[in-house]
Amino acid sequence: MAEKITISLIKADIGSYPGHGRVHPDLIKTAKECLQRAKDENLLIDFFVTNCGDDLCLLLSHKKFIENPEIHKLAFDTFMKCTEVAKGMKLYGAGQDLISTAFSGNIRGMGPGVAEMSFFERESEPLVVFLSDKAEAGMWNLYLFKIFADPFTTPGLIIDPKLHDGFSFEVHDVIEHKKIIFKCPNEMYDLLVFIGAPSKYCIKSVVRNSDNEIAAVTSVEKLSLTAGGYRGKDDSVMMVRSQSGFPAVGEILEPFAFPALIAGGMRGSHHVPVMAVSLKDAHPTRFDSPARVVALGFQLNGGNFIGPIDLFDDPAFDLARQKCNEVMDYIRKHGPFEPHRLPLSEMEYTTLPYVMRKLKNRFQSLK
Ligand code: 13P
Ligand code: 13P
Ligand code: MG
Ligand code: MG
């Protein structure tokens, strides 16, 4: 009988150069060596290592199902080994996202971002992997809504009988640790009430209504909440299955032609636009921004990764990138003012609290 395969996409910022710029090639090399050993020992079917800015991303395929301690330990050990290399080079923020250095069975809640899904590989299985930098975990909300619930983005929702029953969204309240499922299109307006607030509500996964088949999954770990203070931004990841009953690759990419504003720029404390870029441009420099998103296309072959195709390496996204630069210029003019700077409620998790503490006793009552 056919076995389910599992794809685990696990990322962490474990050091970069210069500053929060990009992952050093020696870290990529170290990660590949660790994962090759695991492949040689048959723990993994296949793997792919890359980065978006200063975030190191491990894409793993295996038959161990989701939340598997061996797979999570492999990712954790790989990040630890890379941290050693980063420390040896005095890279910036070495070990940044590893909040805890003692592994206890699951990498979730230790700092890294985790997105996993298990499924029976179809006759042909296209997969789109998204990576981000300088971006909050909830950044995928707008895009996932458009891909799986907006017929102006995905005409397949209307004209393809296999998509016509719609999709359901699992939303996590990342502050109060609760989850809820919304079935679209029926509950579209209820869904939007929540996912329009991406600092608290993040879409974790999407399934197809007709058969509950998994369609997409994201990492929703919020680093500041895990760490109890500001360490870096979430810079989350996402995977979307494509074609033959799921949105076409072009439908999945279409929403990224709009440079949405998200939280995550400079010191994790600013709203900035998202720029869809190829891997070669996936390292923010100006004002540690604009936020970057990369899309890598794969075909699976018995769990082996055929690819990647660098999907935003396409002049069709040039206008979106130009618009993104214009929006960046515009919002930058606000300097330290909202809405460029995040509202105070979100600044509680960043660099501001110590100023508040310092001045607390100087505030006088107006009464
Ligand atoms: P599939 O139904 O094979 O996914 O094709 C959809 C399509 O035509 C892509 O543009
Ligand atoms: P990262 O979250 O990518 O490490 O960035 C941190 C930061 O504050 C950049 O300004
Ligand atoms: Mg960093
Ligand atoms: Mg980063």
Side-chain angles (χ1 to χ4, degrees), residues 9 128-130 140 144 147 217-218 236-240 256:
L9 178 58
V128 185
V129 171
F130 290 91
W140 308 114
L144 281 171
I147 295 166
V217 65
T218 72
S236 62
V237 291
M238 166 166 87
M239 286 188 278
V240 185
F256 293 89

Side-chain angles (χ1 to χ4, degrees), residues 262-328:
I262 60 158
M266 182 51 79
R267 299 169 188 276
S269 307
H270 293 81
H271 285 118
V272 291
V274 177
M275 188 182 267
V277 292
S278 75
L279 277 172
K280 75 172 167 28
D281 293 321
H283 33 78
T285 54
R286 179 191 179 185
F287 200 63
D288 291 357
S289 310
R292 303 300 152 108
V293 60
V294 164
L296 303 177
F298 296 91
Q299 285 287 148
L300 296 182
N301 181 13
N304 288 289
F305 296 111
I306 312 283
I309 296 298
D310 192 352
L311 293 164
F312 290 139
D313 184 11
D314 180 349
F317 288 95
D318 283 352
L319 270 183
R321 291 188 273 257
Q322 188 184 323
K323 172 75 79 188
C324 181
N325 278 329
E326 284 165 15
V327 172
M328 187 66 203

Side-chain angles (χ1 to χ4, degrees), residues 67-299:
E67 308 257 354
N68 178 272
E70 275 182 276
I71 298 294
H72 281 212
K73 181 155 193 328
L74 171 66
F76 178 79
D77 289 346
T78 303
F79 290 139
M80 288 292 281
K81 188 89 195 125
C82 291
T83 298
E84 263 174 50
V85 177
K87 283 189 173 155
M89 283 190 283
K90 292 180 69 178
L91 294 184
Y92 198 71
Q96 175 182 291
D97 287 4
L98 296 182
I99 309 302
S100 166
T101 48
F103 183 75
S104 58
N106 194 320
I107 202 167
R108 205 180 290 285
M110 300 186 74
V114 186
E116 297 183 289
M117 54 181 165
S118 293
F119 49 79
F120 292 108
E121 190 177 294
R122 294 169 294 163
E123 201 173 306
S124 184
E125 186 70 60
L127 182 74
V128 185
V129 171
F130 290 91
L131 317 171
S132 73
D133 190 28
K134 313 300 178 237
E136 67 177 334
M139 72 163 291
W140 308 114
N141 285 5
L142 181 146
Y143 299 111
L144 281 171
F145 177 81
K146 286 192 159 190
I147 295 166
F148 288 101
D150 171 25
F152 282 71
T153 301
T154 300
L157 292 165
I158 307 169
I159 61 180
D160 183 343
K162 295 198 288 295
L163 275 72
H164 199 77
D165 287 340
F167 291 84
S168 290
F169 296 74
E170 180 177 310
V171 175
H172 287 199
D173 175 340
V174 293
I175 311 277
E176 295 187 28
H177 305 289
K178 291 190 282 198
K179 64 179 180 183
I180 177 167
I181 294 171
F182 295 97
K183 193 169 183 176
C184 286
N186 294 11
E187 298 184 308
M188 183 186 281
Y189 300 156
D190 292 339
L191 170 70
L192 284 167
V193 167
F194 296 95
I195 64 169
S199 61
K200 180 165 160 67
Y201 297 100
C202 302
I203 298 173
K204 175 63 192 171
S205 60
V206 180
V207 299
R208 189 165 54 195
N209 288 337
S210 56
D211 56 3
N212 270 332
E213 189 64 18
I214 185 78
V217 65
T218 72
S219 66
V220 296
E221 285 72 28
K222 276 187 88 78
L223 192 60
S224 57
L225 296 180
T226 311
Y230 184 67
R231 289 272 285 241
K233 212 55 199 181
D234 317 323
D235 302 337
S236 62
V237 291
M238 166 166 87
M239 286 188 278
V240 185
R241 295 171 77 191
S242 180
Q243 304 292 157
S244 306
F246 295 115
V249 171
E251 290 170 331
I252 292 167
L253 301 181
E254 176 61 13
F256 293 89
F258 165 62
L261 284 168
I262 60 158
M266 182 51 79
R267 299 169 188 276
S269 307
H270 293 81
H271 285 118
V272 291
V274 177
M275 188 182 267
V277 292
S278 75
L279 277 172
K280 75 172 167 28
D281 293 321
H283 33 78
T285 54
R286 179 191 179 185
F287 200 63
D288 291 357
S289 310
R292 303 300 152 108
V293 60
V294 164
L296 303 177
F298 296 91
Q299 285 287 148

Side-chain angles (χ1 to χ4, degrees), residues 339-359:
H340 186 22
R341 205 206 65 188
L342 300 190
L344 283 178
S345 55
E346 286 177 56
M347 296 288 286
E348 281 167 26
Y349 299 105
T350 63
T351 41
L352 203 66
Y354 95 98
V355 184
M356 299 291 235
R357 272 197 300 279
K358 195 176 70 177
L359 299 180

